[in-house]
Amino acid sequence: MKLLFAASEAVPLVKTGGLADVAGALPGALAALGVDVRVVLPAYRGALARLVEPQRLGELVVRGQRFTVWSGCLPGSTLVHWLIDYPWLYARDGDPYHDPQHQPWTDNAWRFGCFSEAVARLAMGEAGGWKPDVVHCHDWQTGLVPAWLKLRDGAPRCVFTIHNLAYGGVFPRSQFNALGLPPGWWSLDGVEFHGQLSMLKAGLVFSDAITTVSPTYAREIRTPAFGHGFEGLLEHLSPRLSGILNGIDDSIWNPASDPHLVQTYNAGSVRVGKRANRRAIQQELGLPQDEDAVVVGMIGRLTDQKGFDLLLAALPGLLKLPIQLVVLGSGDKQLENALAREALQAPGRIGLKLGFDEGLAHRIEAGSDLFLMPSRFEPCGLNQMYSQRYGTVPVVHRTGGLADTVTDATPRTLKQGTATGVVFEHADAGGLVWGITRGVELMRNDLAALGLIHAGMSRDFGWPAAARQYRALYG
């Protein structure tokens, strides 16, 4: 089976979120199952230099412009990556979607509309002659790929994965016209969405199968509370919709071999290892080495979706508990400023670093006792899986992939030895405080804490299981 895997980001070439982790790990897991995979991305600034001896695969003419396609592998890998190169569109400062001031690029419709058309032409063998059986597209940036392929005889079939329905790739109708899209696509059964162009809707309507990144999220997005206006369409398309839980790269997220930790550990040495990493993050973030405090970690994009506003609202109640809070993230400037003010007002209780620091992220996972994820919605989530692997007890809102991956500590699950965390029902300040209070109680009970830690560390969240489900879907 031949597969073209199309995404707008993938580690280690470029990352802004969980999509990059999926696109960086799932293709390799599929290749290990015998799937012939090519990964295609835009050639962002510096990406081409990361490939080993890239070769020019060919050229594609898209919207009257010539795009160069490069082929190569990453160091130490045999997985083939194709980069679609047009420097004026892709080789820019900033991240793939935003300028250095974190504003969306004003020509994103053109950038990813052209990328999608180029991917569709690649899938028809127009550069290099290699033609896949299936094209796997991800999020709105590749939403027009299935639409273009539906116009071609003998085209590959398409799978479209929703990583976050909140990002619909919505643009004014003028962008539909500028991209020269077929007039017949402008309809309720096509790409029109409340009078605008939605690239995500194109992916939903024109693909042969739709997946999300967890089973619970696949059900949630068919309801008004989580559907972002697409719930009616998704209910209509439900026969082709399924949820496949993301995995994690357990070669990178492995406490026994993690180079970012001050001391590695396994289930047998978890107490000693976590204590050493706990002291390291306390020192790194300017917190006192309080052995009695329960360290609560939180990492992520500073957005309301991730519940950072709920954290701020809950702080008066949280700071009454014997905890130290460690936070790493960046995003909304108002949330950044509010967290910075709270950290100044609670010295010794809140350790904050604004920005992204991969090493510190690993050390927070290893050194925390509890890991907080109060997301209002969470398609899959990765940190709750990292936490369990690192013997850190996740405290999560019951939604999406969080509900699918964390087993709540009830009297029954604790007795069975299957409990791995704390799950709270309401995404509000009260629910958050209740969850952390429950977590602190469990950490104060040595038998319960050790049971939670060992149950979490024994869970298998690796990619092979997901890869087998995707391979079956491609078939």
Side-chain angles (χ1 to χ4, degrees):
M1 180 183 292
K2 293 188 288 186
L3 173 72
L4 182 60
F5 197 96
S8 58
E9 57 182 270
V11 294
L13 294 173
V14 60
K15 175 178 176 175
T16 70
L19 167 59
D21 294 301
V22 175
L26 178 55
L30 289 164
L33 296 177
V35 179
D36 183 7
V37 187
R38 305 287 186 274
V39 180
V40 58
L41 300 102
Y44 302 115
R45 176 167 290 173
L48 195 58
R50 303 287 297 273
L51 301 183
V52 177
E53 297 181 356
Q55 303 294 313
R56 186 175 175 277
L57 189 70
E59 282 190 344
L60 299 166
V61 178
V62 178
R63 302 295 103 198
Q65 306 298 320
R66 291 188 177 275
F67 289 66
T68 304
V69 184
W70 297 91
S71 177
C73 298
L74 292 164
S77 171
T78 59
L79 186 68
V80 176
H81 284 69
W82 287 348
L83 297 181
I84 295 177
D85 188 18
Y86 193 77
W88 184 72
L89 289 179
Y90 306 122
R92 302 176 176 182
D93 294 330
D95 70 36
Y97 322 117
H98 302 91
D99 65 23
Q101 286 70 49
H102 206 67
Q103 297 301 309
W105 293 110
T106 57
D107 59 349
N108 270 344
W110 185 263
R111 296 172 71 232
F112 293 105
C114 289
F115 174 63
S116 289
E117 188 172 350
V119 170
R121 291 179 178 276
L122 269 177
M124 294 304 297
E126 292 187 19
W130 185 87
K131 186 176 176 182
D133 303 300
V134 176
V135 182
H136 191 166
C137 302
H138 298 264
D139 271 353
W140 70 264
Q141 294 88 352
T142 60
L144 291 177
V145 175
W148 283 116
L149 288 175
K150 282 297 182 190
L151 298 179
R152 307 288 289 269
D153 292 332
R157 306 300 289 272
C158 287
V159 174
F160 185 77
T161 294
I162 306 163
H163 292 264
N164 192 333
L165 195 64
Y167 302 103
V170 177
F171 301 97
R173 177 162 187 175
S174 59
Q175 297 299 313
F176 176 91
N177 299 327
L179 283 165
L181 302 181
W185 288 1
W186 191 264
S187 71
L188 287 176
D189 297 324
V191 304
E192 187 271 332
F193 183 71
H194 300 292
Q196 299 190 88
L197 160 67
S198 170
M199 293 188 181
L200 183 137
K201 186 183 177 188
L204 300 178
V205 170
F206 292 104
S207 60
D208 300 291
I210 304 165
T211 71
T212 68
V213 290
S214 71
T216 294
Y217 192 59
R219 295 189 295 272
E220 289 177 339
I221 59 176
R222 293 159 57 186
T223 68
F226 296 93
H228 297 280
F230 295 100
E231 61 272 9
L233 174 63
L234 287 163
E235 182 63 31
H236 174 68
L237 298 175
S238 60
R240 68 174 91 155
L241 171 65
S242 61
I244 298 177
L245 188 69
N246 279 345
I248 62 173
D249 189 335
D250 50 15
S251 65
I252 295 174
W253 291 93
N254 182 354
S257 58
D258 191 334
H260 298 295
L261 306 189
V262 297
Q263 184 168 325
T264 56
Y265 59 92
N266 56 29
S269 57
V270 61
R271 289 291 182 101
V272 174
K274 287 187 71 65
R275 190 177 298 118
N277 286 286
R278 166 200 178 99
R279 290 171 178 158
I281 60 172
Q282 286 172 328
Q283 181 175 2
E284 198 166 348
L285 294 175
L287 297 174
Q289 307 250 315
D290 183 352
E291 295 291 335
D292 293 325
V294 175
V295 176
V296 180
M298 192 171 176
I299 302 170
R301 296 192 317 274
L302 269 59
T303 64
D304 289 352
Q305 180 219 323
K306 297 293 184 180
F308 279 93
D309 61 321
L310 303 181
L311 173 67
L312 288 165
L315 275 177
L318 291 178
L319 293 178
K320 294 176 183 177
L321 301 172
I323 67 168
Q324 290 178 333
L325 182 66
V326 294
V327 180
L328 170 65
S330 63
D332 183 278
K333 294 303 178 185
Q334 287 186 326
L335 290 173
E336 287 188 0
N337 293 336
L339 280 169
R341 286 194 299 271
E342 294 292 346
L344 285 174
Q345 291 171 12
R349 303 295 306 282
I350 301 174
L352 172 67
K353 181 165 184 180
L354 296 174
F356 180 72
D357 185 325
E358 183 72 20
L360 179 58
H362 284 242
R363 288 187 291 279
I364 289 174
E365 286 288 9
S368 298
D369 300 297
L370 303 175
F371 193 92
L372 176 61
M373 295 183 73
S375 307
R376 285 181 166 83
F377 65 94
E378 191 65 68
C380 178
L382 295 173
N383 280 99
Q384 81 279 9
M385 293 188 272
Y386 299 153
S387 295
Q388 290 170 77
R389 183 136 173 80
Y390 279 61
T392 298
V393 176
V395 178
V396 304
H397 173 224
R398 190 187 300 279
T399 187
L402 304 179
D404 290 329
T405 53
V406 180
T407 303
D408 190 26
T410 65
R412 180 177 60 83
T413 58
L414 285 167
K415 185 176 180 180
Q416 292 173 339
T418 58
T420 62
V422 175
V423 182
F424 57 91
E425 297 292 338
H426 302 292
D428 54 29
L432 193 156
V433 172
W434 181 91
I436 293 297
T437 301
R438 174 71 174 140
V440 170
E441 291 171 353
L442 290 165
M443 289 298 99
R444 295 297 194 214
N445 181 327
D446 283 345
L447 187 61
L450 203 56
L452 286 163
I453 289 168
H454 284 161
M457 295 185 79
S458 68
R459 296 286 297 273
D460 180 8
F461 292 118
W463 273 108
R468 288 191 292 272
Q469 292 181 70
Y470 277 113
R471 185 180 65 173
L473 180 65
Y474 302 149

